PDB file of all heavy atoms in Angstrom:
ATOM      1  N   SER A   1       4.332   8.424 -16.789  1.00 47.00           N
ATOM      2  CA  SER A   1       4.873   9.245 -15.708  1.00 47.00           C
ATOM      3  C   SER A   1       4.094   9.083 -14.424  1.00 47.00           C
ATOM      4  O   SER A   1       4.577   9.392 -13.348  1.00 47.00           O
ATOM      5  CB  SER A   1       4.873  10.721 -16.124  1.00 47.00           C
ATOM      6  OG  SER A   1       3.534  11.150 -16.366  1.00 47.00           O
ATOM      7  N   HIS A   2       2.831   8.560 -14.487  1.00 46.00           N
ATOM      8  CA  HIS A   2       2.009   8.415 -13.301  1.00 46.00           C
ATOM      9  C   HIS A   2       2.095   7.002 -12.710  1.00 46.00           C
ATOM     10  O   HIS A   2       1.369   6.687 -11.787  1.00 46.00           O
ATOM     11  CB  HIS A   2       0.535   8.705 -13.641  1.00 46.00           C
ATOM     12  CG  HIS A   2       0.301  10.136 -14.004  1.00 46.00           C
ATOM     13  ND1 HIS A   2       0.662  11.175 -13.188  1.00 46.00           N
ATOM     14  CD2 HIS A   2      -0.238  10.684 -15.125  1.00 46.00           C
ATOM     15  CE1 HIS A   2       0.338  12.337 -13.766  1.00 46.00           C
ATOM     16  NE2 HIS A   2      -0.205  12.047 -14.953  1.00 46.00           N
ATOM     17  N   VAL A   3       2.909   6.155 -13.275  1.00 44.00           N
ATOM     18  CA  VAL A   3       3.051   4.785 -12.802  1.00 44.00           C
ATOM     19  C   VAL A   3       4.461   4.576 -12.307  1.00 44.00           C
ATOM     20  O   VAL A   3       5.403   4.799 -13.067  1.00 44.00           O
ATOM     21  CB  VAL A   3       2.726   3.764 -13.929  1.00 44.00           C
ATOM     22  CG1 VAL A   3       2.841   2.342 -13.386  1.00 44.00           C
ATOM     23  CG2 VAL A   3       1.351   4.033 -14.510  1.00 44.00           C
ATOM     24  N   ASP A   4       4.617   4.212 -11.045  1.00 47.00           N
ATOM     25  CA  ASP A   4       5.978   4.032 -10.535  1.00 47.00           C
ATOM     26  C   ASP A   4       6.524   2.679 -10.975  1.00 47.00           C
ATOM     27  O   ASP A   4       5.822   1.828 -11.502  1.00 47.00           O
ATOM     28  CB  ASP A   4       6.013   4.146  -8.996  1.00 47.00           C
ATOM     29  CG  ASP A   4       5.139   3.112  -8.318  1.00 47.00           C
ATOM     30  OD1 ASP A   4       4.863   2.078  -8.937  1.00 47.00           O
ATOM     31  OD2 ASP A   4       4.753   3.368  -7.165  1.00 47.00           O
ATOM     32  N   SER A   5       7.809   2.494 -10.752  1.00 49.00           N
ATOM     33  CA  SER A   5       8.495   1.300 -11.246  1.00 49.00           C
ATOM     34  C   SER A   5       7.994   0.038 -10.566  1.00 49.00           C
ATOM     35  O   SER A   5       7.910  -1.019 -11.175  1.00 49.00           O
ATOM     36  CB  SER A   5      10.008   1.443 -11.020  1.00 49.00           C
ATOM     37  OG  SER A   5      10.280   1.637  -9.638  1.00 49.00           O
ATOM     38  N   ASN A   6       7.663   0.117  -9.270  1.00 49.00           N
ATOM     39  CA  ASN A   6       7.165  -1.061  -8.557  1.00 49.00           C
ATOM     40  C   ASN A   6       5.833  -1.520  -9.110  1.00 49.00           C
ATOM     41  O   ASN A   6       5.562  -2.704  -9.259  1.00 49.00           O
ATOM     42  CB  ASN A   6       7.022  -0.748  -7.064  1.00 49.00           C
ATOM     43  CG  ASN A   6       8.369  -0.561  -6.404  1.00 49.00           C
ATOM     44  OD1 ASN A   6       9.361  -1.119  -6.855  1.00 49.00           O
ATOM     45  ND2 ASN A   6       8.394   0.249  -5.346  1.00 49.00           N
ATOM     46  N   GLU A   7       4.961  -0.555  -9.398  1.00 46.00           N
ATOM     47  CA  GLU A   7       3.644  -0.889  -9.938  1.00 46.00           C
ATOM     48  C   GLU A   7       3.788  -1.528 -11.300  1.00 46.00           C
ATOM     49  O   GLU A   7       3.125  -2.495 -11.645  1.00 46.00           O
ATOM     50  CB  GLU A   7       2.809   0.394 -10.022  1.00 46.00           C
ATOM     51  CG  GLU A   7       1.395   0.190 -10.511  1.00 46.00           C
ATOM     52  CD  GLU A   7       0.492  -0.382  -9.440  1.00 46.00           C
ATOM     53  OE1 GLU A   7       0.973  -0.608  -8.314  1.00 46.00           O
ATOM     54  OE2 GLU A   7      -0.696  -0.620  -9.747  1.00 46.00           O
ATOM     55  N   GLU A   8       4.701  -0.984 -12.104  1.00 45.00           N
ATOM     56  CA  GLU A   8       4.894  -1.529 -13.450  1.00 45.00           C
ATOM     57  C   GLU A   8       5.482  -2.922 -13.389  1.00 45.00           C
ATOM     58  O   GLU A   8       5.075  -3.820 -14.139  1.00 45.00           O
ATOM     59  CB  GLU A   8       5.830  -0.595 -14.226  1.00 45.00           C
ATOM     60  CG  GLU A   8       6.031  -1.039 -15.683  1.00 45.00           C
ATOM     61  CD  GLU A   8       6.922  -0.067 -16.436  1.00 45.00           C
ATOM     62  OE1 GLU A   8       7.335   0.933 -15.847  1.00 45.00           O
ATOM     63  OE2 GLU A   8       7.196  -0.336 -17.624  1.00 45.00           O
ATOM     64  N   ALA A   9       6.424  -3.130 -12.474  1.00 45.00           N
ATOM     65  CA  ALA A   9       7.040  -4.449 -12.374  1.00 45.00           C
ATOM     66  C   ALA A   9       6.047  -5.485 -11.878  1.00 45.00           C
ATOM     67  O   ALA A   9       6.088  -6.645 -12.269  1.00 45.00           O
ATOM     68  CB  ALA A   9       8.233  -4.387 -11.414  1.00 45.00           C
ATOM     69  N   ARG A  10       5.139  -5.053 -11.032  1.00 46.00           N
ATOM     70  CA  ARG A  10       4.173  -5.997 -10.465  1.00 46.00           C
ATOM     71  C   ARG A  10       3.267  -6.577 -11.528  1.00 46.00           C
ATOM     72  O   ARG A  10       2.887  -7.755 -11.494  1.00 46.00           O
ATOM     73  CB  ARG A  10       3.348  -5.279  -9.381  1.00 46.00           C
ATOM     74  CG  ARG A  10       2.298  -6.163  -8.724  1.00 46.00           C
ATOM     75  CD  ARG A  10       1.515  -5.374  -7.726  1.00 46.00           C
ATOM     76  NE  ARG A  10       0.432  -6.193  -7.164  1.00 46.00           N
ATOM     77  CZ  ARG A  10      -0.490  -5.729  -6.357  1.00 46.00           C
ATOM     78  NH1 ARG A  10      -0.490  -4.454  -6.011  1.00 46.00           N
ATOM     79  NH2 ARG A  10      -1.446  -6.527  -5.894  1.00 46.00           N
ATOM     80  N   PHE A  11       2.845  -5.751 -12.485  1.00 43.00           N
ATOM     81  CA  PHE A  11       1.901  -6.207 -13.505  1.00 43.00           C
ATOM     82  C   PHE A  11       2.587  -6.489 -14.838  1.00 43.00           C
ATOM     83  O   PHE A  11       1.957  -6.469 -15.879  1.00 43.00           O
ATOM     84  CB  PHE A  11       0.813  -5.140 -13.712  1.00 43.00           C
ATOM     85  CG  PHE A  11      -0.026  -4.936 -12.488  1.00 43.00           C
ATOM     86  CD1 PHE A  11       0.097  -3.776 -11.738  1.00 43.00           C
ATOM     87  CD2 PHE A  11      -0.911  -5.908 -12.079  1.00 43.00           C
ATOM     88  CE1 PHE A  11      -0.665  -3.591 -10.612  1.00 43.00           C
ATOM     89  CE2 PHE A  11      -1.679  -5.722 -10.950  1.00 43.00           C
ATOM     90  CZ  PHE A  11      -1.546  -4.562 -10.215  1.00 43.00           C
ATOM     91  N   SER A  12       3.882  -6.732 -14.757  1.00 45.00           N
ATOM     92  CA  SER A  12       4.618  -7.056 -15.981  1.00 45.00           C
ATOM     93  C   SER A  12       4.145  -8.386 -16.540  1.00 45.00           C
ATOM     94  O   SER A  12       3.806  -9.312 -15.819  1.00 45.00           O
ATOM     95  CB  SER A  12       6.121  -7.120 -15.675  1.00 45.00           C
ATOM     96  OG  SER A  12       6.820  -7.600 -16.792  1.00 45.00           O
ATOM     97  N   THR A  13       4.122  -8.475 -17.841  1.00 45.00           N
ATOM     98  CA  THR A  13       3.674  -9.725 -18.476  1.00 45.00           C
ATOM     99  C   THR A  13       4.685 -10.837 -18.298  1.00 45.00           C
ATOM    100  O   THR A  13       4.421 -11.983 -18.659  1.00 45.00           O
ATOM    101  CB  THR A  13       3.452  -9.482 -19.980  1.00 45.00           C
ATOM    102  OG1 THR A  13       4.642  -8.945 -20.546  1.00 45.00           O
ATOM    103  CG2 THR A  13       2.301  -8.531 -20.201  1.00 45.00           C
ATOM    104  N   GLN A  14       5.878 -10.535 -17.746  1.00 46.00           N
ATOM    105  CA  GLN A  14       6.851 -11.582 -17.520  1.00 46.00           C
ATOM    106  C   GLN A  14       6.439 -12.482 -16.358  1.00 46.00           C
ATOM    107  O   GLN A  14       6.917 -13.589 -16.220  1.00 46.00           O
ATOM    108  CB  GLN A  14       8.226 -10.944 -17.211  1.00 46.00           C
ATOM    109  CG  GLN A  14       8.774 -10.072 -18.340  1.00 46.00           C
ATOM    110  CD  GLN A  14       8.996 -10.878 -19.605  1.00 46.00           C
ATOM    111  OE1 GLN A  14       9.416 -12.028 -19.528  1.00 46.00           O
ATOM    112  NE2 GLN A  14       8.722 -10.293 -20.757  1.00 46.00           N
ATOM    113  N   ASP A  15       5.565 -11.958 -15.475  1.00 46.00           N
ATOM    114  CA  ASP A  15       5.099 -12.749 -14.326  1.00 46.00           C
ATOM    115  C   ASP A  15       3.940 -13.634 -14.757  1.00 46.00           C
ATOM    116  O   ASP A  15       2.968 -13.145 -15.326  1.00 46.00           O
ATOM    117  CB  ASP A  15       4.639 -11.841 -13.180  1.00 46.00           C
ATOM    118  CG  ASP A  15       5.802 -11.044 -12.611  1.00 46.00           C
ATOM    119  OD1 ASP A  15       6.929 -11.558 -12.707  1.00 46.00           O
ATOM    120  OD2 ASP A  15       5.564  -9.932 -12.092  1.00 46.00           O
ATOM    121  N   GLY A  16       4.022 -14.937 -14.424  1.00 48.00           N
ATOM    122  CA  GLY A  16       2.938 -15.855 -14.736  1.00 48.00           C
ATOM    123  C   GLY A  16       1.858 -15.793 -13.676  1.00 48.00           C
ATOM    124  O   GLY A  16       1.997 -15.153 -12.636  1.00 48.00           O
ATOM    125  N   TYR A  17       0.806 -16.510 -13.968  1.00 46.00           N
ATOM    126  CA  TYR A  17      -0.320 -16.534 -13.051  1.00 46.00           C
ATOM    127  C   TYR A  17       0.067 -17.146 -11.699  1.00 46.00           C
ATOM    128  O   TYR A  17      -0.268 -16.620 -10.639  1.00 46.00           O
ATOM    129  CB  TYR A  17      -1.458 -17.333 -13.687  1.00 46.00           C
ATOM    130  CG  TYR A  17      -2.572 -17.669 -12.738  1.00 46.00           C
ATOM    131  CD1 TYR A  17      -3.358 -16.661 -12.201  1.00 46.00           C
ATOM    132  CD2 TYR A  17      -2.827 -18.998 -12.392  1.00 46.00           C
ATOM    133  CE1 TYR A  17      -4.386 -16.965 -11.329  1.00 46.00           C
ATOM    134  CE2 TYR A  17      -3.845 -19.301 -11.515  1.00 46.00           C
ATOM    135  CZ  TYR A  17      -4.628 -18.286 -10.996  1.00 46.00           C
ATOM    136  OH  TYR A  17      -5.638 -18.601 -10.140  1.00 46.00           O
ATOM    137  N   GLY A  18       0.840 -18.255 -11.722  1.00 48.00           N
ATOM    138  CA  GLY A  18       1.224 -18.927 -10.484  1.00 48.00           C
ATOM    139  C   GLY A  18       2.050 -18.028  -9.589  1.00 48.00           C
ATOM    140  O   GLY A  18       1.808 -17.932  -8.388  1.00 48.00           O
ATOM    141  N   ASP A  19       3.049 -17.338 -10.172  1.00 52.00           N
ATOM    142  CA  ASP A  19       3.882 -16.452  -9.379  1.00 52.00           C
ATOM    143  C   ASP A  19       3.067 -15.327  -8.777  1.00 52.00           C
ATOM    144  O   ASP A  19       3.284 -14.910  -7.631  1.00 52.00           O
ATOM    145  CB  ASP A  19       5.018 -15.860 -10.234  1.00 52.00           C
ATOM    146  CG  ASP A  19       6.033 -16.910 -10.650  1.00 52.00           C
ATOM    147  OD1 ASP A  19       6.084 -17.954  -9.962  1.00 52.00           O
ATOM    148  OD2 ASP A  19       6.750 -16.690 -11.633  1.00 52.00           O
ATOM    149  N   SER A  20       2.118 -14.805  -9.547  1.00 51.00           N
ATOM    150  CA  SER A  20       1.302 -13.700  -9.057  1.00 51.00           C
ATOM    151  C   SER A  20       0.455 -14.132  -7.870  1.00 51.00           C
ATOM    152  O   SER A  20       0.327 -13.421  -6.875  1.00 51.00           O
ATOM    153  CB  SER A  20       0.388 -13.182 -10.180  1.00 51.00           C
ATOM    154  OG  SER A  20       1.155 -12.730 -11.278  1.00 51.00           O
ATOM    155  N   VAL A  21      -0.134 -15.321  -7.974  1.00 46.00           N
ATOM    156  CA  VAL A  21      -0.977 -15.813  -6.898  1.00 46.00           C
ATOM    157  C   VAL A  21      -0.151 -16.077  -5.647  1.00 46.00           C
ATOM    158  O   VAL A  21      -0.540 -15.731  -4.535  1.00 46.00           O
ATOM    159  CB  VAL A  21      -1.714 -17.096  -7.327  1.00 46.00           C
ATOM    160  CG1 VAL A  21      -2.454 -17.715  -6.148  1.00 46.00           C
ATOM    161  CG2 VAL A  21      -2.684 -16.783  -8.452  1.00 46.00           C
ATOM    162  N   ILE A  22       1.037 -16.686  -5.813  1.00 49.00           N
ATOM    163  CA  ILE A  22       1.898 -16.987  -4.675  1.00 49.00           C
ATOM    164  C   ILE A  22       2.340 -15.709  -3.978  1.00 49.00           C
ATOM    165  O   ILE A  22       2.279 -15.569  -2.755  1.00 49.00           O
ATOM    166  CB  ILE A  22       3.125 -17.806  -5.126  1.00 49.00           C
ATOM    167  CG1 ILE A  22       2.678 -19.203  -5.568  1.00 49.00           C
ATOM    168  CG2 ILE A  22       4.146 -17.912  -4.005  1.00 49.00           C
ATOM    169  CD1 ILE A  22       3.780 -20.031  -6.180  1.00 49.00           C
ATOM    170  N   LYS A  23       2.793 -14.743  -4.787  1.00 52.00           N
ATOM    171  CA  LYS A  23       3.240 -13.482  -4.202  1.00 52.00           C
ATOM    172  C   LYS A  23       2.088 -12.765  -3.511  1.00 52.00           C
ATOM    173  O   LYS A  23       2.256 -12.187  -2.434  1.00 52.00           O
ATOM    174  CB  LYS A  23       3.842 -12.587  -5.294  1.00 52.00           C
ATOM    175  CG  LYS A  23       5.178 -13.106  -5.828  1.00 52.00           C
ATOM    176  CD  LYS A  23       5.727 -12.192  -6.914  1.00 52.00           C
ATOM    177  CE  LYS A  23       7.056 -12.726  -7.443  1.00 52.00           C
ATOM    178  NZ  LYS A  23       7.583 -11.857  -8.524  1.00 52.00           N
ATOM    179  N   GLY A  24       0.929 -12.812  -4.140  1.00 53.00           N
ATOM    180  CA  GLY A  24      -0.233 -12.171  -3.524  1.00 53.00           C
ATOM    181  C   GLY A  24      -0.592 -12.814  -2.208  1.00 53.00           C
ATOM    182  O   GLY A  24      -0.915 -12.134  -1.224  1.00 53.00           O
ATOM    183  N   GLY A  25      -0.507 -14.150  -2.152  1.00 53.00           N
ATOM    184  CA  GLY A  25      -0.806 -14.851  -0.909  1.00 53.00           C
ATOM    185  C   GLY A  25       0.206 -14.548   0.175  1.00 53.00           C
ATOM    186  O   GLY A  25      -0.136 -14.385   1.344  1.00 53.00           O
ATOM    187  N   GLN A  26       1.500 -14.452  -0.218  1.00 56.00           N
ATOM    188  CA  GLN A  26       2.535 -14.140   0.750  1.00 56.00           C
ATOM    189  C   GLN A  26       2.351 -12.738   1.312  1.00 56.00           C
ATOM    190  O   GLN A  26       2.484 -12.512   2.520  1.00 56.00           O
ATOM    191  CB  GLN A  26       3.916 -14.265   0.105  1.00 56.00           C
ATOM    192  CG  GLN A  26       4.309 -15.694  -0.218  1.00 56.00           C
ATOM    193  CD  GLN A  26       5.626 -15.768  -0.965  1.00 56.00           C
ATOM    194  OE1 GLN A  26       6.093 -14.765  -1.510  1.00 56.00           O
ATOM    195  NE2 GLN A  26       6.218 -16.944  -0.988  1.00 56.00           N
ATOM    196  N   VAL A  27       2.045 -11.804   0.448  1.00 53.00           N
ATOM    197  CA  VAL A  27       1.833 -10.431   0.888  1.00 53.00           C
ATOM    198  C   VAL A  27       0.635 -10.353   1.841  1.00 53.00           C
ATOM    199  O   VAL A  27       0.674  -9.690   2.875  1.00 53.00           O
ATOM    200  CB  VAL A  27       1.624  -9.490  -0.318  1.00 53.00           C
ATOM    201  CG1 VAL A  27       1.180  -8.109   0.144  1.00 53.00           C
ATOM    202  CG2 VAL A  27       2.905  -9.387  -1.133  1.00 53.00           C
ATOM    203  N   ALA A  28      -0.438 -11.074   1.492  1.00 54.00           N
ATOM    204  CA  ALA A  28      -1.633 -11.058   2.339  1.00 54.00           C
ATOM    205  C   ALA A  28      -1.337 -11.686   3.703  1.00 54.00           C
ATOM    206  O   ALA A  28      -1.774 -11.186   4.740  1.00 54.00           O
ATOM    207  CB  ALA A  28      -2.769 -11.799   1.651  1.00 54.00           C
ATOM    208  N   ALA A  29      -0.584 -12.801   3.697  1.00 53.00           N
ATOM    209  CA  ALA A  29      -0.253 -13.464   4.961  1.00 53.00           C
ATOM    210  C   ALA A  29       0.617 -12.582   5.834  1.00 53.00           C
ATOM    211  O   ALA A  29       0.432 -12.497   7.054  1.00 53.00           O
ATOM    212  CB  ALA A  29       0.455 -14.802   4.690  1.00 53.00           C
ATOM    213  N   GLU A  30       1.614 -11.932   5.195  1.00 57.00           N
ATOM    214  CA  GLU A  30       2.481 -11.037   5.954  1.00 57.00           C
ATOM    215  C   GLU A  30       1.685  -9.868   6.516  1.00 57.00           C
ATOM    216  O   GLU A  30       1.922  -9.419   7.638  1.00 57.00           O
ATOM    217  CB  GLU A  30       3.615 -10.529   5.068  1.00 57.00           C
ATOM    218  CG  GLU A  30       4.618 -11.622   4.692  1.00 57.00           C
ATOM    219  CD  GLU A  30       5.652 -11.115   3.693  1.00 57.00           C
ATOM    220  OE1 GLU A  30       5.567  -9.921   3.321  1.00 57.00           O
ATOM    221  OE2 GLU A  30       6.531 -11.890   3.304  1.00 57.00           O
ATOM    222  N   GLY A  31       0.743  -9.400   5.732  1.00 56.00           N
ATOM    223  CA  GLY A  31      -0.084  -8.285   6.200  1.00 56.00           C
ATOM    224  C   GLY A  31      -0.929  -8.685   7.392  1.00 56.00           C
ATOM    225  O   GLY A  31      -1.050  -7.938   8.365  1.00 56.00           O
ATOM    226  N   ARG A  32      -1.510  -9.897   7.354  1.00 55.00           N
ATOM    227  CA  ARG A  32      -2.327 -10.361   8.478  1.00 55.00           C
ATOM    228  C   ARG A  32      -1.474 -10.580   9.718  1.00 55.00           C
ATOM    229  O   ARG A  32      -1.894 -10.301  10.842  1.00 55.00           O
ATOM    230  CB  ARG A  32      -3.061 -11.649   8.102  1.00 55.00           C
ATOM    231  CG  ARG A  32      -4.192 -11.464   7.102  1.00 55.00           C
ATOM    232  CD  ARG A  32      -5.039 -12.723   7.038  1.00 55.00           C
ATOM    233  NE  ARG A  32      -4.291 -13.868   6.570  1.00 55.00           N
ATOM    234  CZ  ARG A  32      -4.200 -14.220   5.294  1.00 55.00           C
ATOM    235  NH1 ARG A  32      -4.794 -13.503   4.349  1.00 55.00           N
ATOM    236  NH2 ARG A  32      -3.503 -15.284   4.944  1.00 55.00           N
ATOM    237  N   ALA A  33      -0.248 -11.113   9.520  1.00 51.00           N
ATOM    238  CA  ALA A  33       0.637 -11.358  10.661  1.00 51.00           C
ATOM    239  C   ALA A  33       1.037 -10.054  11.327  1.00 51.00           C
ATOM    240  O   ALA A  33       1.117  -9.953  12.558  1.00 51.00           O
ATOM    241  CB  ALA A  33       1.880 -12.138  10.222  1.00 51.00           C
ATOM    242  N   LYS A  34       1.323  -9.026  10.500  1.00 55.00           N
ATOM    243  CA  LYS A  34       1.703  -7.740  11.060  1.00 55.00           C
ATOM    244  C   LYS A  34       0.524  -7.056  11.734  1.00 55.00           C
ATOM    245  O   LYS A  34       0.667  -6.394  12.761  1.00 55.00           O
ATOM    246  CB  LYS A  34       2.273  -6.842   9.957  1.00 55.00           C
ATOM    247  CG  LYS A  34       3.622  -7.318   9.414  1.00 55.00           C
ATOM    248  CD  LYS A  34       4.129  -6.398   8.321  1.00 55.00           C
ATOM    249  CE  LYS A  34       5.476  -6.878   7.780  1.00 55.00           C
ATOM    250  NZ  LYS A  34       5.962  -6.013   6.688  1.00 55.00           N
ATOM    251  N   ALA A  35      -0.641  -7.225  11.156  1.00 55.00           N
ATOM    252  CA  ALA A  35      -1.824  -6.577  11.713  1.00 55.00           C
ATOM    253  C   ALA A  35      -2.245  -7.220  13.030  1.00 55.00           C
ATOM    254  O   ALA A  35      -2.682  -6.535  13.954  1.00 55.00           O
ATOM    255  CB  ALA A  35      -2.981  -6.643  10.710  1.00 55.00           C
ATOM    256  N   ASN A  36      -2.104  -8.541  13.152  1.00 57.00           N
ATOM    257  CA  ASN A  36      -2.514  -9.234  14.369  1.00 57.00           C
ATOM    258  C   ASN A  36      -1.508 -10.333  14.701  1.00 57.00           C
ATOM    259  O   ASN A  36      -1.724 -11.506  14.412  1.00 57.00           O
ATOM    260  CB  ASN A  36      -3.908  -9.837  14.185  1.00 57.00           C
ATOM    261  CG  ASN A  36      -4.518 -10.272  15.511  1.00 57.00           C
ATOM    262  OD1 ASN A  36      -3.823 -10.325  16.531  1.00 57.00           O
ATOM    263  ND2 ASN A  36      -5.805 -10.579  15.496  1.00 57.00           N
ATOM    264  N   PRO A  37      -0.360  -9.973  15.312  1.00 58.00           N
ATOM    265  CA  PRO A  37       0.679 -10.971  15.601  1.00 58.00           C
ATOM    266  C   PRO A  37       0.220 -12.034  16.591  1.00 58.00           C
ATOM    267  O   PRO A  37       0.653 -13.180  16.518  1.00 58.00           O
ATOM    268  CB  PRO A  37       1.819 -10.120  16.192  1.00 58.00           C
ATOM    269  CG  PRO A  37       1.156  -8.867  16.673  1.00 58.00           C
ATOM    270  CD  PRO A  37       0.014  -8.638  15.733  1.00 58.00           C
ATOM    271  N   LEU A  38      -0.680 -11.698  17.532  1.00 55.00           N
ATOM    272  CA  LEU A  38      -1.162 -12.685  18.494  1.00 55.00           C
ATOM    273  C   LEU A  38      -1.984 -13.765  17.818  1.00 55.00           C
ATOM    274  O   LEU A  38      -1.884 -14.946  18.157  1.00 55.00           O
ATOM    275  CB  LEU A  38      -1.992 -11.993  19.577  1.00 55.00           C
ATOM    276  CG  LEU A  38      -1.227 -11.050  20.507  1.00 55.00           C
ATOM    277  CD1 LEU A  38      -2.173 -10.404  21.506  1.00 55.00           C
ATOM    278  CD2 LEU A  38      -0.118 -11.798  21.247  1.00 55.00           C
ATOM    279  N   GLN A  39      -2.784 -13.370  16.840  1.00 57.00           N
ATOM    280  CA  GLN A  39      -3.586 -14.358  16.105  1.00 57.00           C
ATOM    281  C   GLN A  39      -2.682 -15.271  15.297  1.00 57.00           C
ATOM    282  O   GLN A  39      -2.909 -16.478  15.222  1.00 57.00           O
ATOM    283  CB  GLN A  39      -4.573 -13.645  15.193  1.00 57.00           C
ATOM    284  CG  GLN A  39      -5.485 -14.600  14.414  1.00 57.00           C
ATOM    285  CD  GLN A  39      -6.458 -13.852  13.515  1.00 57.00           C
ATOM    286  OE1 GLN A  39      -6.449 -12.625  13.468  1.00 57.00           O
ATOM    287  NE2 GLN A  39      -7.284 -14.587  12.812  1.00 57.00           N
ATOM    288  N   SER A  40      -1.636 -14.692  14.699  1.00 56.00           N
ATOM    289  CA  SER A  40      -0.689 -15.503  13.932  1.00 56.00           C
ATOM    290  C   SER A  40       0.027 -16.491  14.833  1.00 56.00           C
ATOM    291  O   SER A  40       0.231 -17.646  14.472  1.00 56.00           O
ATOM    292  CB  SER A  40       0.328 -14.594  13.234  1.00 56.00           C
ATOM    293  OG  SER A  40       1.291 -15.352  12.546  1.00 56.00           O
ATOM    294  N   LEU A  41       0.397 -16.039  16.050  1.00 52.00           N
ATOM    295  CA  LEU A  41       1.069 -16.922  16.990  1.00 52.00           C
ATOM    296  C   LEU A  41       0.142 -18.043  17.444  1.00 52.00           C
ATOM    297  O   LEU A  41       0.548 -19.189  17.595  1.00 52.00           O
ATOM    298  CB  LEU A  41       1.544 -16.108  18.209  1.00 52.00           C
ATOM    299  CG  LEU A  41       2.301 -16.878  19.298  1.00 52.00           C
ATOM    300  CD1 LEU A  41       3.592 -17.441  18.735  1.00 52.00           C
ATOM    301  CD2 LEU A  41       2.589 -15.969  20.484  1.00 52.00           C
ATOM    302  N   GLY A  42      -1.129 -17.701  17.643  1.00 54.00           N
ATOM    303  CA  GLY A  42      -2.096 -18.703  18.089  1.00 54.00           C
ATOM    304  C   GLY A  42      -2.357 -19.772  17.052  1.00 54.00           C
ATOM    305  O   GLY A  42      -2.764 -20.879  17.382  1.00 54.00           O
TER     306      GLY A  42
END
């Protein structure tokens, strides 16, 4: 009851290591772009 569906889906055993790393990298890149759009543009 304390774990939402997104959290459970994220750590599901159906996801392989490669997919997890790729998704993590995409999320991190998107986060950096949103945090500093000028740096991303540069």
Side-chain angles (χ1 to χ4, degrees):
S1 62
H2 293 305
V3 182
D4 60 23
S5 58
N6 291 333
E7 182 77 1
E8 183 178 358
R10 180 182 176 186
F11 296 108
S12 172
T13 55
Q14 299 298 322
D15 295 332
Y17 168 66
D19 292 339
S20 300
V21 173
I22 292 173
K23 290 180 180 179
Q26 290 175 343
V27 171
E30 291 174 0
R32 289 193 297 269
K34 292 180 180 178
N36 194 348
L38 293 178
Q39 182 180 0
S40 177
L41 181 63

